[in-house]
Amino acid sequence: MTGALGEFLGTMILILLGDGVVAGVLLKRSKGENAGWLAITAGWAFAVVFGVFTAMAFGAPGHLNPAVTAGAIAIGAVRVNEAMVHIGAQFAGAFAGAILVWLHYLPHWAETAEPDFKLGIFCTIPAIRRPLANFVCEVIGTFVLVFVGSALVRVVPTGGLAPYLVGILVWSIGLSLGGTTGYAINPARDLGPRIAHFLLPIPGKRDSDWGYSWVPVLGPLVGGMIAARAFVLLSDLTH
């Protein structure tokens, strides 16, 4: 279906570069080791920009995120069957991107002792584990992503500056709101790589923390749908 390949490839690039920067910061004997949170948030921002452009080059909308696609469903901006195909492609692309990160850093896994670092490269781990509070953080972060992203798309021509500005938006969310949960703000970004972590032969890995996995899936979906509906309702009031 139109756009599925683009969503797959764009999300794969998103995860390859996004999880890739986390791996570069956390894995032992990487030249980027200990570069810190600023490097991680910047790397994820750039990953979004280039993932969106990749997706759009192959005829996709460049959502790269089931929460964004769910928001489009909530306001009737996309057909449900088409949206489901795109969401499936996003999850598959995230899984593929995570495998590429594992392959790229192959010699470094055995050099790294910390199991939490290895898990944190693939998926989010909250700074303070309070699932309901963590859920609220993911709702708020994704609300900002979809609400402000909707404003950007309305004001800025699609395919021009919009992908760059969305990348800056993700950078802002990471710097301002990401310190609590690691700002998944994207179910595919978290669940696809979490499944990869579970399946891949990573030396010294821990469990994949399935007890927490619902938070970065449901939180973004709820936040994305609320934001999309709120943007439309508030726009109707001002036009």
Side-chain angles (χ1 to χ4, degrees):
M1 187 174 291
T2 303
L5 177 61
E7 289 296 319
F8 173 85
L9 293 173
T11 310
M12 183 181 73
I13 293 298
L14 169 71
I15 299 304
L16 174 58
L17 298 179
D19 281 359
V21 70
V22 182
V25 170
L26 295 183
L27 290 177
K28 297 299 180 184
R29 300 182 64 182
S30 158
K31 292 185 180 293
E33 186 179 356
N34 298 319
W37 187 245
L38 185 60
I40 289 174
T41 55
W44 270 107
F46 301 150
V48 169
V49 173
F50 298 123
V52 170
F53 274 122
T54 299
M56 293 173 66
F58 287 87
H63 291 171
L64 315 184
N65 184 340
V68 176
T69 307
I73 295 172
I75 61 173
V78 63
R79 295 191 302 272
V80 173
N81 61 337
E82 182 178 3
M84 291 298 103
V85 172
H86 286 181
I87 288 173
Q90 292 157 5
F91 277 107
F95 179 78
I99 292 175
L100 291 175
V101 170
W102 167 76
L103 184 62
H104 185 85
Y105 284 96
L106 198 58
H108 294 266
W109 302 105
E111 297 286 334
T112 305
E114 296 87 346
D116 281 352
F117 283 9
K118 296 173 187 179
L119 177 62
I121 288 164
F122 291 90
C123 55
T124 56
I125 301 174
I128 298 175
R129 193 184 183 94
R130 300 284 169 78
L132 290 179
N134 304 146
F135 175 82
V136 170
C137 290
E138 288 293 339
V139 170
I140 293 171
T142 313
F143 181 94
V144 174
L145 173 66
V146 174
F147 191 87
V148 180
S150 298
L152 290 174
V153 170
R154 172 170 292 183
V155 173
V156 180
T158 301
L161 287 176
Y164 297 106
L165 294 174
V166 171
I168 294 171
L169 171 60
V170 171
W171 196 357
S172 177
I173 292 169
L175 291 173
S176 301
L177 305 175
T180 54
T181 62
Y183 72 118
I185 60 175
N186 182 339
R189 169 266 175 275
D190 194 276
L191 184 58
R194 192 184 297 269
I195 294 170
H197 175 272
F198 175 75
L199 294 175
L200 289 170
I202 302 169
K205 71 177 180 180
R206 54 162 288 183
D207 67 277
S208 300
D209 197 11
W210 295 110
Y212 179 77
S213 64
W214 67 273
V215 172
V217 172
L218 294 183
L221 288 173
V222 171
M225 288 187 288
I226 292 174
R229 289 297 302 162
F231 187 83
V232 168
L233 290 172
L234 292 172
S235 296
D236 289 344
L237 290 176
T238 56
H239 288 84

